[in-house]
Every structure is written in structure tokens, then in C-alpha cells.
Amino acid sequence: MPLYYDDDQAMLAETAQAFMSEEGAIAKQLRHWRDRDCKDGFGHGLWKQFAEMGFTGMLVDEDDGGLGMGHVEAGIVLENIGRNLTPSPFLSSSVLAATALKHGSDDVRGRWLPGLIEGEKVYSVAIDEGAKHRPETIACKAEKSGNGFRLSGKKDFVVYGASSEMIVVAARTSGDDSDSDGITLFAVPQDASGMSHDSVRLVDSSMASHVTFDGVELDGDAVIGEVDGGRDVLNAMLMAGRVGAAAEGVGVASGAMDMTVDYLKQRKQFGKLIGEFQALQHRAAHLYSEVEIARAVTIKAAQLLDGGSEKADLMASVAKAKVAKAAGLAVKEGVQMHGGIGMTDEYDIGLYMKRDRALQEFLGDMYYHAGRVAEMSGY
Amino acid sequence: MSDLEAFRAETREWLEANCPPEMRQPVRDEQDIYWGGRNATFKNDAQKAWFEACRDKGYTVPEWPKEYGGAGLSPAEGKILRQEMSRMGARPPLSSFGIWMLGPALLHFGTEGQKKRFLNEIAAGEIRWCQGYSEPGSGSDLVSMQTYGEDKGDHWVVNGQKIWTSYADEADWIFCLVRTDKQNKYQGITFMLFDMAGSGVTTKPIKLISGNSPFCETFFDDVSVPKSYGEDCPGYVGEINRGWDVAKYLLGHEREMISGAGGGDRTAAIGAAMKRNAGELDAVLRAELAMFDVDALAYTAMGEKFLDEMKVGKGHPAQPNMMKYAGTELNKRRHELMMAAGGSRALEWESDETSGGKPARNWLRTKANSIEGGTSEVMLNVISKRILDLPGA
């Protein structure tokens, strides 16, 4: 498969770009909700529009009422989300939760998918149990209880958790904390008694929860996939999320870079446009190279994932790490090259830096993923 | 079976039958590479047999038309041949600047007469070419060059000096940029072709920090260059005074080649191999290797995207500059890490263990990557100007 968009994908890219730069623009969404101290951190109206555009269920199979598209397509939407810093539950609901639900029974899919596709409902995922992403270790426990389970423990970095009608929770149903087997995924509804959210605003003004499960009673039909066999579903979900986060990161990087290059062409110092200074030109050109390479490997990872390749896991980590490097560089150079104005809240470049920081941490930073690359390569 | 599948099967069979086992070993030293030319000798019978089989089949230049010594393969067939050759670890039968550089320029700008003569000679490995571009004082700033050809009607008299002419001391002919109009910086250069055995051409090797000497200084002292070598066969490519167009086209090719766009091991991940060679890795070195591998694997994807886009005419025309910049910087880093992982063994300048100091010599050689074919700084200038459209760049 060639590493560029085919005609349908190019058309989707055009649509997504027009929609996100208009409806999802920074002033209209991110700043609007932030300045009103919105407890959701995003607009439900926009989420409805996502559904009207056909974005919400793009990864859901056609038999389940979705569009049955792939991760390249989801990446196109995410890149435009990143470029416009559009706050939305797309990554957590339509990529992560949707990937988990693919593995659910008819009942599970029938219960949760329609609401997602229609943009009525928002979902999240609960994976991390500490400040750093370490999904190899799951201590959250779900013990057999009657014909269901009793869930106890704590989860962190549950994005938009308090606004979610359902959270996909990875919990341990047997074995030790660091065992690969013995994991089960549950669809935990918002009104489950014993679940409480400590919801906090993050640096990028998104909301995330520390969630406590204090003996939450779950029916057997909350299980997604096989009991004790959830690791594969979790891995599939993580891969999809990482490739998606990489695509959003490419958008953040490109958005920051474009803003900066524009600024270099306008701002005068010492009687010259600052873009005339070679010291800045070379840094900008280096940045361009890094962003292009990050974009290439992100499309590559999405294609491998769509094709069911066994290399997808490796390339998802390569993409997540490479994008983190490139986007980190883009926002740092962005703020520096903007000078004093880059430090003001009024100017958007700082918002890119904040979003990048949150996105880097989500589902593993570059150090975590470079470490995975080493491990998967045998060193 | 599709045509391409049939072609693959046929090709595999042909390669199995014609590529001797000795030619399926990795290239270890200069002697393992066959460059062709008037004075060429083969290292052994296997090298000769492999070269001749490929030449007769058109496989020294598989995608060139048959009438010019190629096999007339389509790009898809060419790709299959490369895949099958790399699958069995087959060495290139013939390496040559004629194939990599002059050939593409002649295919694009040459007259029918030039193509018939020169391309066939290149394909058959009869004439070894070198490239005369850089001059002392005109490296990346090529158009500032001074070598001058004075118009004498049916010929020029060329005087001047070139530098960094790779393997000039072993080349038969040179494709050479010569100033033919001193008034016009860009439109005053002619792309000439001439025999180095003629009077007035001398060469002198330049020993490098790697201890090796692929490069030469080349001196022209009243060298007579004919304007024509016969009917429809001019002694220059393109138009007189418009050699810069040819040079630019060729530099694009060179940058694509240096950037390793086709993949190969220049940009492959190295962490696993370093652990096999060095045993346990220090934690920080392991981390550096992991970050390198991330960049290398990502760059490989970029190379693939670049080639895919080129095939359908997408992508920015200055993209080869980006590939060259990123690829050569990556290759330098790769060899720094290989030296670090290799420890004291990698320092050995002469030993059997290191095949004559290969790790150290290769490491030193890579320092030229970001200088030759346009420095990294020049690549960044081009990206600034042509892709980012920055002012005054």
C-alpha cells in the first residue's frame, strides 16, 4: 500500500480539515470552554456534530451501524483535531473504547455502540494506576461475586472520566499484579455504585479523573471479551490509542510549526524579518524534517495496524516516540521563536505546548516507547 | 499467475542459476566491488562470471531501454529484481558513476547518438566515469567555479582544477562542469564529456582521515575538448552554457542516492546488532541506541513514503534535500554509536578481526556524508527557501 492518502482518504482529509478549522477552532472550542471553566472540558454540541459528520463511529464495524473504516482514516480526523487543539472525546471514545467494544458480545455492543455512533454518549478508558503509563502491571482487582464481579482499586489519568457514560476498565481477575494473563476488561456504567471520580483540570485544560472503585458490583454482562483473557483486547486497544495519539501529535506539531513559520515571515527585529536570519532558518528547516518523518511513520503504523501486521506493535511505539520528539521540538521552538509574545496567554502557541505535554504523557511517553522498541528488538 | 508473479519466478530461477555463491557474500573491501573500465581486472572468476551474465541479460542497468544496454524492465519489475537480489544477498555486478549519475542525465538530456554510444558503454562496463564538479573554493557553492573552457570553434581549451573527484585516478572519462561564459553566473556553465587519457589531464589522490583515498585533485592544463564526437553525438550534454540545468538534475539524483531513499542498511536499526557484538550494554548507551532506532525506523518509513510519492509525482520537488539532510545526519550518528558499542576493538586500525580497521575507517568516512553532495547547511538553506518559503533565504 503506498504511503500517501488514496482518493477517498484525501477527500476525508479535506472534509475533516474544513470542519475542524471552522467548528473545532481554538477560539470557538478550547478557549471558549476553558474561559467558562467548563467542568466537562469539551462541548457536547460539537460531539453531536462529530456524529453528524460520521466521525464518531468510523472505527465501528458496518454490521454494528458504524462506517467500518480504519486507523488511517481515524488518524486523519485526529491530525486535524491536533492541529486545531479541538477538545473532544474522540480519541478516548471513538478510538480506544470503540476498539475494546469490537471484542464485546452482541449484548455489550448492542448496549453501548448506538449511543457512541449517535454522539449521545461519551466513553473513556481506565488503564494507568500511577503517574506513569505502565500497563504491564495491573493491580485493580475484580473478584467473582454471585454471577458477576466486585471491582476494587484505583485508576489514574482517566480522560474525561467524570463526563463519561461508561468507562472501559482493565482489572485483574487472577494472578499477580505483573502477570500477563489474568486481565479482564469491563464496561463500567457511570451510575455504578461505589465508583467515585476525583476530577481535575490538566495543564491543557482538559479534564481527567482519579477514579476509585470501592467494591463496585458488576453484572457478568459487563465483561468485554473473555474473563482472564483481556490482555489481547487491552493490547489491541493500546495500539489503536497509541497510533491515534501519534496522529493527533502530528497535528499539534504541524499546527505549531505553521504558526511559527508564519511568524518568522512577519516579525521584524534589527530592521529585518526574523525569518531572514540563518540561525532561525536552519532550526525551522530541521524542525520541518522532523515533523515530516514523524508524519510518515505515523501513517506507516496506521497502515500496518489496519493490515493486521505483526509489525504494528513495534511501529506503533516507534510512531508514538518519534512524534513525541518531533512535536516536543515543534512547541519548544514555537514558543522560543515567538519570543515574549509566545509566553502570553493571549497567543495560541503556548496552548500547543500544553496540549503536547498532555498528549506525550498519554499512553506512554517517548522514553517508555523507545524502551519498548529496544525490548521488542531484543536488547 | 500474474505477469509479475511469473516474472518473479523466472528472475529467481535465473539468479539461482547465474549468481555464483562467492557473489552472495557481503562486500568486505574495495576489491569486492567491480567498477569496470578500460583497465579493469576481476578479482576472481566468480566476479567475472557474475558481471558477464548480468551484462548479457541487461541487468547491470535493468530499467534502461534494451537499445541502450538495459533489460527494459518496468519499475515494478525492477523492484522485483532488486528484492530478489537482496533476498539472496547478491552483490551488484557493476558499480559505476556512469550508472548512478551520468546515465540518468543522458537519458533525460542526451541526444539519440549520445545515448546509443555512451549508455551502451556504461552498461557494458567498458568506460569508467568520474564526476568533475567541485573546485577548491567552490564546494557547496558550485556556481562560483572557475575552470574555464575557451571557445576555439570546433573545440574548447579547458584550464583549471577540480577537487574531490572520486576515483579520478582510475577513471577513463569525466563528466565535467566548465565555465564557458564568465559574465553569467548560472547560464555560463557547460556540462562537458571528455577522455582523461588525452594530454593535459593529471590526477593526484587525496588521503583522508580514514586513511583511504577515494578522492583526487584533478588538473586541466590546455585540455582540448571536442564539441562533437560524430554525428548526433555532441561533446556536451544539454545546451552550451546551460549545463547548470543538467547539474541540478544530477544533484537531485545524487541526493536521493546519498539519502539512502531505497532503504539499505545505512539507516536500519542497530540496537540488536550492537548487543550481539558488545554483550551487555550500558544503560545510557542502550537508551541512546533505542532513541536512534526510533529515528532510524521512522526515517525508513519516510524513505518509503518519499519513493511512493515520487512514483506518482506527488511530494515537494525539494524533498530530496530533506531526505539527504536527515539521512546523512542519521548515518553519522549511527557510526558514532557503533564505535561506542564496539569499544577498544572498534579502535583497531589494522587487524584481521576488524577487516583492516573497517569500523574506525567507516566511522571517519561518514563525517563526509554531511559535506559531500551539498552540506547539511546548504540542504537546510534549500528547505528554508523552497519548502518553507522563508524571506531572503
Side-chain angles (χ1 to χ4, degrees):
Chain A
M1 197 184 298
L3 268 179
Y4 49 78
Y5 297 148
D6 65 26
D7 290 347
D8 288 343
Q9 290 163 344
M11 204 150 62
L12 172 65
E14 232 168 82
T15 309
Q17 190 182 353
F19 173 77
M20 224 61 77
S21 63
E22 175 56 35
E23 299 304 324
I26 293 176
K28 208 165 180 175
Q29 297 295 335
L30 177 61
R31 284 187 183 277
H32 176 87
W33 297 114
R34 184 196 72 165
D35 294 349
R36 277 156 192 76
D37 198 21
C38 165
K39 292 300 173 207
D40 281 326
F42 68 94
H44 288 274
L46 183 72
W47 188 231
K48 275 298 264 187
Q49 284 177 283
F50 265 57
E52 286 155 19
M53 296 296 290
F55 296 156
T56 47
M58 60 196 301
L59 285 177
V60 176
D61 289 344
E62 282 172 288
D63 288 348
D64 289 322
L67 294 176
M69 288 178 166
H71 295 278
V72 174
E73 285 82 2
I76 288 169
V77 172
L78 279 159
E79 183 176 335
N80 286 291
I81 286 175
R83 181 180 281 277
N84 295 285
L85 305 178
T86 310
S88 88
F90 183 82
L91 185 54
S92 57
S93 294
S94 297
V95 177
L96 283 150
T99 301
L101 289 171
K102 249 185 219 291
H103 297 84
S105 63
D106 290 349
D107 286 349
V108 168
R109 298 202 316 284
R111 176 166 178 197
W112 297 112
L113 286 176
L116 167 70
I117 295 165
E118 287 151 21
E120 297 290 344
K121 289 179 179 170
V122 169
Y123 305 143
S124 193
V125 294
I127 300 162
D128 294 352
E129 300 181 353
K132 297 301 284 187
H133 179 66
R134 294 283 178 269
E136 297 78 16
T137 304
I138 302 268
C140 223
K141 263 197 174 41
E143 289 161 316
K144 274 238 152 68
S145 157
N147 67 343
F149 293 85
R150 213 176 131 79
L151 182 63
S152 311
K154 287 185 171 178
K155 291 281 184 182
D156 291 309
F157 207 4
V158 181
V159 175
Y160 300 129
S163 313
S164 295
E165 273 80 4
M166 181 275 281
I167 300 174
V168 177
V169 181
R172 179 156 297 288
T173 36
S174 68
D176 295 328
D177 292 0
S178 52
D179 282 356
S180 181
D181 294 337
I183 302 293
T184 306
L185 296 190
F186 297 94
V188 181
Q190 189 174 38
D191 56 8
S193 85
M195 176 167 72
S196 60
H197 290 272
D198 174 15
S199 188
V200 288
R201 190 173 300 283
L202 304 184
V203 66
D204 63 339
S205 103
S206 69
M207 302 298 292
S209 295
H210 300 283
V211 184
T212 306
F213 304 100
D214 186 9
V216 175
E217 299 285 349
L218 295 170
D219 290 341
D221 63 10
V223 172
I224 302 173
E226 302 294 320
V227 174
D228 284 348
R231 184 63 77 174
D232 289 345
V233 186
L234 177 59
N235 287 344
M237 187 164 86
L238 289 173
M239 262 193 284
R242 287 162 181 167
V243 171
E248 185 174 342
V250 169
V252 172
S254 315
M257 180 173 75
D258 289 353
M259 250 192 104
T260 305
V261 170
D262 276 352
Y263 190 69
L264 294 179
K265 294 174 187 174
Q266 290 165 23
R267 169 71 173 166
K268 278 194 170 172
Q269 287 271 269
F270 309 106
K272 277 177 149 184
L273 291 168
I274 60 173
E276 291 180 58
F277 294 112
Q278 200 177 46
L280 299 189
Q281 290 175 352
H282 282 193
R283 280 161 52 189
H286 171 71
L287 172 59
Y288 165 81
S289 307
E290 290 294 287
V291 172
E292 280 304 292
I293 293 168
R295 184 192 313 279
V297 72
T298 301
I299 300 175
K300 178 79 189 170
Q303 283 188 358
L304 290 173
L305 191 53
D306 285 334
S309 164
E310 55 187 30
K311 281 191 194 154
D313 197 15
L314 172 71
M315 215 47 80
S317 275
V318 172
K320 185 72 166 72
K322 181 68 197 184
V323 170
K325 287 180 83 175
L329 185 69
V331 299
K332 277 177 276 201
E333 289 288 46
V335 169
Q336 177 66 21
M337 290 193 196
H338 274 84
I341 201 171
M343 292 300 296
T344 63
D345 180 71
E346 186 192 333
Y347 222 68
D348 288 343
I349 190 72
L351 300 175
Y352 283 91
M353 180 171 270
K354 294 175 182 181
R355 180 60 190 146
D356 171 60
R357 189 62 245 149
L359 203 52
Q360 294 222 19
E361 214 53 54
F362 188 59
L363 302 179
D365 63 11
M366 66 176 158
Y367 306 107
Y368 173 80
H369 285 290
R372 279 193 99 228
V373 169
E375 256 163 50
M376 282 187 268
S377 308
Y379 67 98
Chain B
M1 202 190 286
S2 78
D3 288 353
L4 285 179
E5 282 167 40
F7 177 77
R8 187 185 292 277
E10 240 170 70
T11 303
R12 194 174 290 191
E13 199 179 323
W14 187 88
L15 288 171
E16 284 297 342
N18 287 281
C19 187
E22 299 95 313
M23 293 295 107
R24 304 182 195 186
Q25 312 287 330
V27 170
R28 279 183 310 269
D29 54 41
E30 185 66 23
Q31 286 233 294
D32 287 342
I33 303 171
Y34 182 65
W35 289 93
R38 286 176 195 145
N39 305 315
T41 50
F42 292 101
K43 187 187 178 185
N44 52 35
D45 291 345
Q47 195 180 51
K48 183 166 189 275
W50 175 225
F51 164 72
E52 285 173 352
C54 286
R55 178 197 59 197
D56 295 346
K57 183 90 176 161
Y59 278 1
T60 56
V61 286
E63 290 177 42
W64 291 8
K66 283 187 177 166
E67 65 265 39
Y68 308 140
L73 300 190
S74 68
E77 289 168 335
K79 187 174 173 188
I80 288 174
L81 176 63
R82 284 194 297 278
Q83 284 170 347
E84 288 303 314
M85 283 182 64
S86 101
R87 194 183 61 84
M88 63 158 45
R91 289 179 188 169
L94 175 66
S95 296
S96 125
F97 294 113
I99 295 175
W100 302 325
M101 317 279 303
L102 180 60
L106 284 175
L107 283 167
H108 195 83
F109 294 97
T111 64
E112 190 55 32
Q114 284 177 322
K115 291 180 192 172
K116 279 249 158 61
R117 169 172 173 182
F118 295 123
L119 293 178
N120 274 299
E121 286 176 354
I122 290 167
E126 289 163 1
I127 296 293
R128 182 167 176 179
W129 289 85
C130 66
Q131 169 184 266
Y133 279 19
S134 297
E135 295 184 10
S138 295
S140 291
D141 180 18
L142 257 185
V143 289
S144 69
M145 67 193 178
Q146 302 292 321
T147 293
Y148 183 62
E150 196 186 346
D151 195 330
K152 297 282 189 182
D154 65 343
H155 69 285
W156 289 282
V157 172
V158 175
N159 280 285
Q161 183 192 347
K162 293 285 173 182
I163 197 166
W164 310 122
T165 22
S166 308
Y167 302 106
D169 52 343
E170 304 188 49
D172 306 311
W173 278 58
I174 187 167
F175 49 99
C176 191
L177 293 178
V178 179
R179 182 160 298 287
T180 38
D181 179 351
K182 288 184 176 172
Q183 307 307 317
N184 202 326
K185 200 177 171 196
Y186 286 90
Q187 296 188 9
I189 296 168
T190 301
F191 190 103
M192 297 185 189
L193 310 173
F194 57 93
D195 194 324
M196 294 180 69
S199 87
V201 182
T202 48
T203 61
K204 192 174 128 200
I206 306 167
K207 196 168 179 179
L208 299 184
I209 52 176
S210 61
N212 293 334
S213 179
F215 295 111
C216 292
E217 290 179 281
T218 304
F219 302 90
F220 306 124
D221 186 13
D222 284 339
V223 177
S224 172
V225 176
K227 285 191 182 168
S228 168
Y229 293 112
E231 199 186 337
D232 195 30
C233 191
Y236 52 93
V237 182
E239 291 172 46
I240 290 172
N241 286 336
R242 299 302 297 264
W244 184 238
D245 298 342
V246 185
K248 259 197 321 195
Y249 177 82
L250 252 178
L251 281 171
H253 258 270
E254 185 179 16
R255 279 163 197 168
E256 274 163 33
M257 199 176 79
I258 292 175
S259 71
D265 72 347
R266 293 167 54 99
T267 53
I270 50 170
M274 291 302 102
K275 183 178 178 184
R276 277 197 300 278
N277 294 343
E280 261 336 284
L281 300 164
D282 293 326
V284 175
L285 177 58
R286 177 182 180 269
E288 293 268 348
L289 285 166
M291 293 306 256
F292 173 84
D293 281 357
V294 165
D295 286 328
L297 290 163
Y299 182 80
T300 304
M302 183 69 229
E304 209 181 304
K305 180 164 182 271
F306 175 64
L307 288 182
D308 288 342
E309 287 177 340
M310 266 203 327
K311 268 182 224 153
V312 292
K314 286 182 186 235
H316 195 284
Q319 198 77 335
N321 301 80
M322 187 280 263
M323 295 297 295
K324 200 267 177 188
Y325 165 69
T328 55
E329 294 299 330
L330 196 61
N331 199 42
K332 286 198 295 180
R333 200 168 128 213
R334 167 190 173 84
H335 282 267
E336 287 290 339
L337 288 167
M338 284 164 69
M339 286 301 285
S344 63
R345 180 58 50 78
L347 301 175
E348 292 179 7
W349 194 242
E350 286 168 341
S351 66
D352 289 345
E353 198 78 33
T354 61
S355 305
K358 230 181 158 183
R361 291 171 198 272
N362 287 347
W363 160 64
L364 289 162
R365 174 66 183 84
T366 60
K367 297 303 170 198
N369 292 166
S370 50
I371 301 170
E372 60 204 348
T375 60
S376 282
E377 288 69 24
V378 165
M379 295 306 112
L380 293 171
N381 285 347
V382 175
I383 297 167
S384 302
K385 181 179 179 177
R386 294 186 52 202
I387 299 181
L388 300 179
D389 196 24
L390 286 171

